Amino acid sequence: MSVVQSVDNVALLPAYLAAGTAVLVLLADLLVARARVTLTVAAAGAAATALGAGLVGAGGERRTFCVGPDCSYVFGGRAALVAVVVALLTLGVLALSGPLLRAGQSPAGEYCFLLACSMTGGVVLGAAGDLITLIVALETLTLPLYVLVGLRRGSLASAEAAVTFFVVSVVATTLTLLGAALLYAATGGLHLGRIGAILADRPDLLDLPLTTAAVALVVLGLAFKVAAVPLHAWAPATYDGAPLPVAAYLSTASKLGGVVALLAVVQYALPADVTGPVLALLAVLTMTVGNLVALRQRRTVRLLAWSSVAQAGYILAPLGALALTAGRTADARTAAYAAAVAYAVFFVVLELAAFAALVALRPAGADGGTVDDLRGAARRHPWRAAALGLALVGLAGLPPGLAGLFAKVTVVRSLLDGGAGWLAVVVAVNAVLGLAYYLRLTAALWAAPAVAAPAVAAPVVAAAVAPAEGAAAAPSGPAGLAAGGDAAPGVGSDGAVAHPVRARTVGVVLAVATVVALLLGLAPQLVLDVAAR
């Protein structure tokens, strides 16, 4: 057998563009050392990556690094969709990070370089055709986030969140690698399709303890990445301690990467009748625990984090029904895969819009604050609050957020078609539970502002502690937001002036994410068609 392989450089073009972006960011930071230039280079590279992935994907499926019929890199419709979404999410997060970087909260060069490296992993992940490529791509997506979470200067919470994320993620990676090694020992294959074919031809292998342990470790290791219960405890603390734009990336691109990795393994390598019951149980636990704990949250980012855990349960539900669809038509199984991918895409768009609105409503460099901090925000910033409200009702699955509504309908329909009616009922009940906290936060935006404490003299304190131009404002409390406004910024609980973010790039991201969410709600079949390829 020849060891010389032909390389399809066109198929690898999106990966080249993403990796090239990381290199150019390093050079820009070294030669120019200006945050604006570094951000511009990173943003241009992310946009070029999205465009390149779309063009390559439109040309049909392309394969490279092949040995016979088995290929390590398969860039088709779904891989193109994942690459485009990851690149656009990176572009959006870079735009949201402008105020943070200009305020000096994080070093621009390192920040943009790490984001570009993470984007590279996400772009490659969707095209992974073997276990090695899959795990390396997933870790390339995840590793830079350890540093990004802790990159906020002078923040103990950020450092603690980074350590938590690092320790838990290393354990998850170890489990996945061990499972992959055992799976190779049991089957002798690394390509996902080859492993699936071997297990289908040799069902006796499934009775071996070695194979059972391998399947369990791979599924559990990837479930960490999705933040599925009971492997979820790292997510709320990590999201809340990270800078807001990084939390947005964690809850969108990182979550999407975990879903894509788990989907690839379940669809091509592992038998549905083995993984289905496990994933169904994980889905029920994840959506139920996430929604119940979210009801008790008072900090905004923690609420969004727990809701993200619940949303992961909805994404896992179609995969959990695969055991029941194993004896049904191939169309039913394809619909289950497409429903999981489509729901993930709808979710990340709405989640990005929610975080963009939160960044716009909070001071530059501040954390997400509490739900009470957002009381009355619509009276001061009606358009920003309206965008946040639209994203929240979309995540809840209510109109006019039609993207979220169609996402849940798609999942329920795939469950009913697959014969998992009981799981569809669980999804519906949890969707009702989610209404409580989504609508509570939405209602707070239009509620009467909290009454300021009598002891606080806003004009005097503002004059005394007003930060120098360009300095980051500290997070505000309810009293500060009550007194806040465009003409007279509020005063936080620590006496700092709370200037809401007014960066033009943040407004652009918020507007674009809102428009895309609306358009996806009007034409959801486009995403479903691409996800089904």
Side-chain angles (χ1 to χ4, degrees):
M1 180 183 295
S2 174
V3 296
V4 178
Q5 296 179 338
S6 62
V7 177
D8 188 345
N9 289 298
V10 175
L12 294 170
L13 178 62
Y16 291 157
L17 290 171
T21 300
V23 175
L24 289 177
V25 165
L26 275 182
L27 293 176
D29 186 56
L30 176 65
L31 300 176
V32 182
R34 294 182 61 185
R36 186 181 299 276
V37 175
T38 304
L39 268 173
T40 301
V41 171
T49 302
L51 179 61
L55 292 176
V56 174
E61 184 177 276
R62 307 185 73 97
R63 295 168 172 260
T64 188
F65 301 122
C66 299
V67 179
D70 302 320
C71 298
S72 296
Y73 195 88
V74 183
F75 200 89
R78 186 185 298 173
L81 175 64
V82 173
V84 169
V85 171
V86 169
L88 291 179
L89 289 173
T90 305
L91 179 61
V93 170
L94 284 168
L96 294 180
S97 305
L100 177 77
L101 299 179
R102 287 195 294 271
Q105 294 288 322
S106 298
E110 291 87 337
Y111 189 97
C112 295
F113 170 73
L114 291 168
L115 265 181
C117 290
S118 183
M119 176 180 67
T120 304
V123 167
V124 174
L125 182 60
D130 63 52
L131 285 174
I132 295 176
T133 305
L134 184 78
I135 294 174
V136 170
L138 185 60
E139 289 310 303
T140 305
L141 171 65
T142 306
L143 280 172
L145 300 180
Y146 304 154
V147 183
L148 283 171
V149 168
L151 208 56
R152 188 167 59 184
R153 290 176 174 140
S155 173
L156 180 60
S158 181
E160 291 175 345
V163 172
T164 300
F165 185 32
F166 172 75
V167 172
V168 173
S169 193
V170 165
V171 172
T173 302
T174 304
L175 291 178
T176 308
L177 286 171
L178 179 58
L182 294 179
L183 197 58
Y184 174 73
T187 64
L190 281 175
H191 293 89
L192 299 177
R194 174 64 59 186
I195 294 173
I198 291 172
L199 293 178
D201 293 339
R202 295 277 310 279
D204 57 294
L205 291 177
L206 296 173
D207 298 329
L208 297 176
L210 181 67
T211 309
T212 303
V215 172
L217 288 173
V218 169
V219 171
L220 290 177
L222 295 178
F224 266 107
K225 304 294 185 181
V226 184
V229 174
L231 314 168
H232 66 289
W234 62 271
T238 301
Y239 288 17
D240 200 24
L244 276 179
V246 177
Y249 193 83
L250 275 170
S251 63
T252 55
S254 179
K255 177 86 69 177
L256 179 62
V259 170
V260 169
L262 187 59
L263 177 63
V265 170
V266 170
Q267 181 175 1
Y268 298 112
L270 304 182
D273 56 346
V274 175
T275 60
V278 175
L279 292 175
L281 177 61
L282 288 178
V284 171
L285 290 175
T286 301
M287 66 179 82
T288 304
V289 173
N291 281 321
L292 290 177
V293 180
L295 291 171
R296 302 176 54 250
Q297 299 306 307
R298 292 295 178 265
R299 290 191 59 79
T300 310
V301 173
R302 281 186 176 266
L303 187 150
L304 291 176
W306 281 106
S307 78
S308 176
V309 170
Q311 299 286 348
Y314 303 137
I315 297 171
L316 292 176
L319 303 183
L322 288 177
L324 298 174
T325 61
R328 297 175 182 269
T329 64
D331 290 341
R333 293 172 58 80
T334 301
Y337 299 130
V341 175
Y343 194 103
V345 172
F346 292 141
F347 162 71
V348 298
V349 172
L350 290 166
E351 189 82 348
L352 180 66
F355 271 98
L358 190 58
V359 170
L361 289 170
R362 296 292 293 159
D367 60 17
T370 65
V371 174
D372 288 337
D373 289 337
L374 295 177
R375 287 181 64 88
R379 301 173 184 236
R380 300 180 296 277
H381 311 289
W383 292 109
R384 304 177 196 180
L388 177 56
L390 177 64
L392 292 172
V393 297
L395 290 169
L398 295 176
L402 295 178
L405 175 61
F406 281 117
K408 287 184 170 58
V409 169
T410 300
V411 167
V412 171
R413 185 178 62 184
S414 72
L415 295 175
L416 294 176
D417 291 343
W422 66 272
L423 193 51
V425 172
V426 175
V427 169
V429 170
N430 274 278
V432 174
L433 280 177
L435 293 177
Y437 57 84
Y438 283 125
L439 294 181
R440 186 188 75 211
L441 179 54
T442 304
L445 299 173
W446 277 269
V451 179
V456 177
V460 175
V461 177
V465 301
E469 184 178 357
S476 64
L481 283 174
D486 286 337
V491 181
S493 58
D494 56 358
V497 180
H499 296 275
V501 172
R502 294 183 178 85
R504 185 176 303 172
T505 56
V506 175
V508 170
V509 174
L510 181 56
V512 170
T514 303
V515 170
V516 170
L518 290 172
L519 292 178
L520 288 180
L522 297 175
Q525 194 61 38
L526 294 176
V527 177
L528 282 169
D529 290 342
V530 176
R533 294 183 188 177

